[in-house]
Amino acid sequence: MGHFVLLIISAVLVNNFVLARFLGICPFLGVSKKTETAVGMSMAVVFVMTIAALATWLLQTYILIPFGIQYLQTIVFILVIASLVQLVEMVIQKVSPVLYQALGIYLPLITTNCAVLGVAVLNIQKEHTFWEAIIFAFGASLGFGLALVLFAGIRERLDLADVPKSLRGTAIALITAGLLSLAFMGFAGLVK
Amino acid sequence: MMGARKKQKTYRFQGGVHPPEEKLTAALPTEAMPLPEKIYIPLSQHIGAPAVPVVKEGDRVLTGMVVAEAGGFVSTPVHASISGTVTGIVDYPHPVGRNMPAVVVESDGADKLDEKITPPPDINSLTGEEIREIIKNAGIVGLGGAAFPTHVKLSPPKDKPIDTLIINGAECEPYLTADHRLMLEHPEKVIGGARLLAKALGVTRVLTGVEKNKMDAVQALTGATGSDVAVVPFAVHYPQGAEKQLIKASVDRVVPAGGLPMDVGVVVQNVGTAAAVYDAVTDGMPLISRIVTVTGPGIRTPKNLRVRIGTPLSEVIASCGGLAPDVRKVILGGPMMGNAQFNLQVPVIKGTSGVLLLTESAAEVLQPGPCLRCGNCVRVCPMGLTPLMFARYTELGMFDEAAEFNVADCIECGCCAYECPAHIPLVQYAKYAKAEIQNRKRKAAG
Amino acid sequence: MLSAILTLAGLGFLAALGLAVASRVFYVKMDPRVATIADILPGANCGACGYGGCGAFAQAIVSGEGKIEACSAIDEEGAHAIADIMGIMYTESEKEWAVVLCRHTDGGVANTFDYVGISDCRAANLVGGGPKACPSACIGLGTCAAVCPFGAITMSADGLPIIDPNRCTACGVCVAECPKNVIVLAPVSSAVSVHCSSEDKGAAVKKVCSTGCIGCGACVRVCPFEAMTMENNLAAVNYSKCRVCGLCVSVCPTNAIRDHRDELKVRKIAVIGDDCNGCTLCARACPVDAIAGNPKEQHTVDPARCIGCGICADQCKRGAVSMITVDNTEDEASGPATVVGGGGR
């Protein structure tokens, strides 16, 4: 049990996928203008990451390895992720058209989100067991969501500040992201 | 007798500031101002519909005669404050900053009282309904400054039962001493008026709140009252005299956001209003004069004056020795919530509690700087709001976001602007935001 | 090898099956035209169309509720493209721009008090109607410039808005936000406006401003096209009737009516063709004596004097007079103007 807790803390705080591993920067910068859209995006990513990790782990263990076709890993994983993202898109469009509009292009871009593929591949690299894989993916997505929502909150307040003209928009956002990343370095060493 | 009375508990309200009291005129007895030559009685001196004139050019009027009738339920009549001839109903400068219709009366110097003004036959047998009728016909409005028609405040709807009447003698604004002098010089009128108001409302619990910097007034009132009206001293803490804060401090009830004191079973009336009610019921006298504190470093002789409604400001200033040479700003009201004037011809109206004249150094204009996010404004706001947020959103023209920060609940007391180290005009942002939000609502409704 | 092919094919088939089922379950009807039209629209979200933004407007166009003409910021090409997509007609309306009906800087309007506070006209208006001695004057703190979504307004040094006709799209935001309502929308070709918004009587206006409208009515009387209205002591130009002849400008005693014809890039003049039989009706009707010619002989129009009012064209019974659009940049002494636009009135 304690092992799983450490796994989650590691994935969420110590080795945060966005702020420590620098994966998934595209939606991180693209969807973090408002906290509501950030929360919506995070929930989509939680779903995709966890199910993708589950499916890819099963595929790797029961099909790719037994048949000796590990070299198909990347293609197979992407196939799974893309299908899941399509599914999520359809669901969101039906359930919340407003969120669908707000996420815009970033929803299908979850497919190419290196964080999702990263989780799947890392699970294999670290030789996680079935449950470890799921917990790790869930933690990773929570960490992604945390970074996203935190950053969205900061950006909303950044809109009110008097930023010098040359730094407005993406420039100040990237500087802030860097500072947030530095802040998360404070968790280093929390979990070995 | 004194030992038997138990000490009334008082509570604290959140936020608030402690500006210097500057009660220069606290020890000066009220003087009667000499009669003006002409008076200008605006038809709109109260919250609600303007009064409708019942006189025309050339009519002869006597002191206390009705010159305009109430324009609706939330409205009051206005009376002639001197006797003379009506020279016309014209658009005349008004303290709000633009010209508004006013009845102009030229004095005949006699100040002859209208014969119809007589006290009712048996004051003690008057019902609550009859008292309210007398108050309405006397043109009495809240003399604390808001000028809300008193008879309307005394007629809450049936689903809002009232159990407490609070008489407001706090006078928390710096410089103003009109209420202080009234409580010292006519405590029997204040207490008598309180009793009549209690009867009109049908309540038994009455308390009069006075700030502790007026202990002589507390003593005077205590001497004039019995066990039916409690006199409670409060800490000197601005804005102690603001309705919602006074209610919290005296009976520990919080008026809900967007609500009124009647929502928590309370009605608050100013001591001046209570005294005017006493005069109206006991002598049949309508509201034609009030005590005005003329004060500040910009006036030669600060005074507490009893002024007839409609007297031009220039005459009031003249009877106080005139303006000091370095005067810079003229405010009607106190320094925290008063309105600056640019035309000294404006008349004294029912809600004018004071005239504050400030010199260059006292009215120094400080350049606003950027917001430091220091949080002073949040700390001192008596309504628990976050002025820095709605001020910034208003500055950026984002009025919907400003509305989300409850700017509608702002009482415009001035505590935030007073404490802001960057001298940001926070109250102006609040007023601006409120006006724009109302504007947009109206436009959206079509 | 086989296992690889089978695995991929199998997975692909499963995924396709799953998604096909899901797309039935979560079916949402979407009109693809909405996205295309939203792309063509300017994207400024100015709100002139009356909808929340370009996206909402695109939706409205497709549903039939919104008219393309409602968008003032779109150019002709874009409007026609949308009309083609929808298969509907698009009629061009004349381009408009914002005009500020106040010239308090020329009129010497003083301040009645020192306004110290937020530098915004809407905020200043709450303080006794603003610091200007004229209650209807432009306050000059630049709210219109700040809210213009196209950056078309700049404030002059002494506090009057200057509108750039090349950037102004007549979206109407400045008109709505001005607390004194001194900005109106007028057709770009309408170069004459009454630059005053005061409804005070003449004496009151003169006391505070030397170039305000005093309600004398001279303009109403002189206008040959009944294009001047007088309401509440304030004259105004009826832009649909005004032919920009400029007579009102010349009779206004306070110079409240101003003429911007020199600023326009093009102007209209009359040209008399060969059908002329010399009846002299046009010459007699011309308010500026721009037509010369002997009776029963071909008449000619002096392009330098012609003001393009079109009275002559109205008078001619033979249709010999036509109005053409020419370049406005040549000076008065030169010969025939360079024809820019076609004939017709």
Side-chain angles (χ1 to χ4, degrees):
Chain A
M1 189 54 208
H3 173 60
F4 288 130
V5 172
L6 286 177
L7 201 58
I8 292 208
I9 292 182
S10 163
V12 175
L13 294 175
V14 184
N15 292 310
N16 186 293
F17 263 64
V18 179
L19 298 171
R21 294 191 198 265
F22 306 118
L23 297 172
I25 304 293
C26 172
F28 177 64
L29 286 179
V31 186
S32 56
K33 291 237 175 69
K34 291 191 74 170
T35 31
E36 288 90 27
T37 34
V39 171
M41 178 62 144
S42 306
M43 296 199 295
V45 170
V46 167
F47 179 77
V48 171
M49 245 189 212
T50 319
I51 306 292
L54 172 76
T56 52
W57 191 93
L58 288 172
L59 276 170
Q60 177 79 2
T61 316
Y62 295 116
I63 298 192
L64 294 185
I65 295 184
F67 288 110
I69 42 171
Q70 288 96 315
Y71 58 86
L72 286 180
Q73 187 185 66
T74 313
I75 302 179
V76 169
F77 282 15
I78 289 291
L79 193 146
V80 171
I81 294 169
S83 315
L84 278 170
V85 172
Q86 264 290 71
L87 183 65
V88 168
E89 256 197 77
M90 283 187 235
V91 173
I92 291 185
Q93 193 178 19
K94 181 82 175 187
V95 165
S96 172
V98 178
L99 182 62
Y100 184 77
Q101 288 284 13
L103 290 176
I105 195 71
Y106 291 101
L107 193 51
L109 277 180
I110 299 179
T111 313
T112 52
N113 187 346
C114 39
V116 184
L117 184 61
V119 161
V121 169
L122 274 170
N123 272 332
I124 309 304
Q125 273 182 9
K126 288 178 184 259
E127 294 176 356
H128 280 158
T129 63
F130 178 71
W131 283 112
E132 279 177 352
I134 306 228
I135 303 283
F136 181 65
F138 185 66
S141 56
L142 279 184
F144 179 84
L146 179 70
L148 202 58
V149 172
L150 276 177
F151 196 51
I154 298 177
R155 280 187 97 175
E156 275 191 359
R157 289 298 285 266
L158 214 50
D159 276 340
L160 295 180
D162 242 338
V163 181
K165 207 152 182 207
S166 51
L167 286 178
R168 278 185 206 158
T170 319
I172 196 69
L174 284 171
I175 294 175
T176 313
L179 289 170
L180 192 55
S181 195
L182 266 175
F184 266 65
M185 277 183 84
F187 291 115
L190 194 63
V191 169
K192 238 200 306 177
Chain B
M1 192 64 198
M2 291 284 276
R5 200 170 296 135
K6 69 171 187 245
K7 191 153 176 266
Q8 171 90 15
K9 185 169 174 14
T10 60
Y11 305 86
R12 274 194 67 87
F13 59 84
Q14 64 174 325
V17 290
H18 298 95
E21 293 170 28
E22 304 283 6
K23 303 278 188 184
L24 314 172
T25 50
L28 301 174
T30 311
E31 290 176 32
M33 202 189 119
L35 288 180
E37 286 177 12
K38 252 191 182 160
I39 54 166
Y40 304 83
I41 309 170
L43 297 177
S44 188
Q45 297 182 39
H46 48 263
I47 295 180
V52 177
V54 293
V55 295
K56 57 184 189 306
E57 190 177 335
D59 281 356
R60 184 149 154 62
V61 291
L62 299 170
T63 305
M65 197 180 259
V66 176
V67 294
E69 279 174 356
F73 177 56
V74 184
S75 184
T76 52
V78 285
H79 304 76
S81 25
I82 52 176
S83 59
T85 320
V86 176
T87 61
I89 300 172
V90 298
D91 277 343
Y92 189 74
H94 188 285
V96 297
R98 53 178 199 278
N99 292 357
M100 309 255 283
V103 177
V104 187
V105 177
E106 191 162 344
S107 171
D108 58 7
D111 193 21
K112 190 165 178 325
L113 192 64
D114 191 0
E115 311 86 46
K116 294 201 214 79
I117 292 177
T118 47
D122 185 3
I123 300 167
N124 293 320
S125 72
L126 285 172
T127 63
E129 176 73 42
E130 288 167 330
I131 295 177
R132 283 199 294 273
E133 191 64 25
I134 296 177
I135 290 173
K136 173 169 159 203
N137 294 332
I140 297 179
V141 300
L143 293 184
F148 189 79
T150 305
H151 69 280
V152 178
K153 222 183 202 182
L154 295 173
S155 321
K158 290 276 179 302
D159 60 336
K160 307 270 185 205
I162 309 293
D163 59 53
T164 307
L165 169 68
I166 301 179
I167 304 293
N168 189 351
E171 196 156 52
C172 51
E173 280 257 23
Y175 285 104
L176 301 184
T177 55
D179 289 348
H180 186 179
R181 294 310 312 176
L182 178 66
M183 292 188 283
L184 270 180
E185 292 162 13
H186 297 286
E188 76 288 351
K189 290 196 181 184
V190 175
I191 302 294
R195 288 177 173 138
L196 288 165
L197 287 166
K199 199 167 182 186
L201 275 170
V203 300
T204 47
R205 183 175 180 195
V206 187
L207 61 94
T208 308
V210 185
E211 272 191 341
K212 282 187 182 152
N213 55 5
K214 299 181 262 290
M215 287 315 285
D216 49 357
V218 171
Q219 271 191 318
L221 286 172
T222 314
T225 188
S227 54
D228 57 334
V229 179
V231 180
V232 185
F234 285 96
V236 180
H237 184 189
Y238 180 85
Q240 189 71 263
E243 240 178 12
K244 296 177 180 159
Q245 279 61 42
L246 189 59
I247 294 173
K248 174 75 171 66
S250 40
V251 292
D252 199 24
R253 293 180 202 172
V254 177
V255 176
L260 290 167
M262 63 165 131
D263 292 330
V264 291
V266 179
V267 167
V268 180
Q269 296 284 8
N270 179 268
V271 286
T273 314
V277 168
Y278 182 83
D279 281 337
V281 174
T282 328
D283 299 325
M285 207 48 192
L287 180 58
I288 55 163
S289 72
R290 63 158 299 148
I291 304 180
V292 176
T293 305
V294 186
T295 180
I299 191 87
R300 281 202 218 259
T301 321
K303 285 184 186 178
N304 293 301
L305 282 179
R306 182 159 276 279
V307 180
R308 300 287 170 118
I309 304 290
T311 306
L313 206 53
S314 49
E315 290 206 34
V316 176
I317 290 171
S319 59
C320 291
L323 298 168
D326 52 347
V327 71
R328 181 75 168 98
K329 197 166 183 177
V330 178
I331 300 176
L332 284 186
M336 301 295 284
M337 291 182 70
N339 287 315
Q341 299 298 317
F342 55 88
N343 187 341
L344 293 182
Q345 295 315 306
V346 294
V348 164
I349 56 175
K350 293 178 182 177
T352 308
S353 46
V355 184
L356 174 58
L357 297 110
L358 296 175
T359 50
E360 191 71 58
S361 51
E364 201 188 333
V365 171
L366 300 161
Q367 281 307 314
C371 173
L372 320 171
R373 314 276 193 271
C374 67
N376 272 359
C377 54
V378 181
R379 183 172 48 85
V380 299
C381 178
M383 296 301 287
L385 306 174
T386 41
L388 74 143
M389 294 307 291
F390 61 66
R392 182 60 177 157
Y393 276 121
T394 305
E395 195 181 358
L396 297 172
M398 298 160 79
F399 300 105
D400 292 327
E401 287 83 347
E404 281 173 27
F405 283 92
N406 306 102
V407 64
D409 287 326
C410 169
I411 57 173
E412 299 171 18
C413 64
C415 290
C416 52
Y418 184 77
E419 283 292 319
C420 178
H423 312 302
I424 296 174
L426 293 165
V427 181
Q428 196 188 5
Y429 276 115
K431 289 186 181 184
Y432 173 29
K434 283 186 198 178
E436 279 303 307
I437 292 168
Q438 283 287 77
N439 220 0
R440 272 147 225 269
K441 261 203 206 132
R442 239 181 317 116
K443 279 193 191 159
Chain C
M1 188 63 188
L2 188 62
S3 47
I5 298 172
L6 280 177
T7 312
L8 273 178
L11 276 172
F13 181 72
L14 274 174
L17 195 64
L19 284 174
V21 170
S23 67
R24 279 298 157 86
V25 175
F26 296 108
Y27 181 62
V28 169
K29 188 161 160 39
M30 278 265 324
D31 196 326
R33 293 179 296 179
V34 176
T36 333
I37 292 178
D39 276 333
I40 300 175
L41 289 172
N45 290 326
C46 68
C49 54
Y51 294 91
C54 299
F57 185 47
Q59 207 92 356
I61 294 179
V62 172
S63 70
E65 205 185 282
K67 303 264 165 286
I68 306 175
E69 288 83 356
C71 175
S72 53
I74 199 168
D75 59 356
E76 268 175 51
E77 217 187 293
H80 281 295
I82 297 180
D84 285 340
I85 294 176
M86 291 300 300
I88 56 178
M89 285 289 294
Y90 168 69
T91 41
E92 293 163 29
S93 49
E94 191 174 356
K95 188 159 145 59
E96 289 189 321
W97 70 319
V99 180
V100 178
L101 299 186
C102 177
R103 285 286 181 272
H104 65 77
T105 43
D106 294 339
V109 178
N111 281 349
T112 45
F113 56 84
D114 275 342
Y115 170 72
V116 176
I118 303 171
S119 208
D120 184 295
C121 306
R122 295 168 292 193
N125 193 35
L126 294 174
V127 185
K132 291 270 177 279
C134 169
S136 316
C138 156
I139 295 178
L141 287 172
T143 297
C144 49
V147 299
C148 176
F150 302 96
I153 307 182
T154 43
M155 298 304 291
S156 72
D158 40 12
L160 265 182
I162 304 174
I163 309 206
D164 181 349
N166 295 316
R167 290 190 165 194
C168 176
T169 62
C171 70
V173 173
C174 59
V175 178
E177 292 299 322
C178 174
K180 291 294 189 186
N181 297 314
V182 295
I183 310 184
V184 299
L185 292 178
V188 172
S189 60
S190 187
V192 172
S193 290
V194 178
H195 286 280
C196 178
S197 307
S198 173
E199 293 182 350
D200 285 347
K201 293 213 170 68
V205 171
K206 269 193 121 93
K207 245 206 290 183
V208 294
C209 179
S210 63
T211 193
C213 172
I214 53 173
C216 65
C219 54
V220 180
R221 289 189 290 273
V222 84
C223 179
F225 307 104
E226 291 181 350
M228 295 300 293
T229 58
M230 176 71 73
E231 222 180 289
N232 296 323
N233 307 307
L234 179 64
V237 175
N238 180 343
Y239 297 113
S240 53
K241 288 190 179 169
C242 173
R243 307 267 200 115
V244 200
C245 67
L247 283 172
C248 53
V249 179
S250 54
V251 302
C252 179
T254 55
N255 201 18
I257 311 184
R258 309 277 178 111
D259 182 344
H260 303 281
R261 286 175 294 169
D262 292 339
E263 289 165 36
L264 295 181
K265 289 214 201 95
V266 295
R267 66 188 181 103
K268 284 208 173 100
I269 57 170
V271 159
I272 305 179
D274 296 332
D275 285 342
C276 172
N277 65 354
C279 70
T280 74
L281 274 177
C282 58
R284 279 182 275 153
C286 177
V288 293
D289 273 335
I291 303 180
N294 296 319
K296 298 228 174 37
E297 282 177 20
Q298 174 76 34
H299 279 52
T300 50
V301 176
D302 178 357
R305 291 180 81 120
C306 176
I307 57 173
C309 66
I311 295 180
C312 53
D314 281 340
Q315 291 285 316
C316 181
K317 295 188 175 36
R318 296 171 63 93
V321 185
S322 45
M323 304 301 295
I324 58 169
T325 314
V326 297
D327 212 9
N328 197 16
T329 51
E330 83 288 3
D331 63 271
E332 298 207 359
S334 72
T338 325
V339 177
V340 170
R345 197 133 13 104

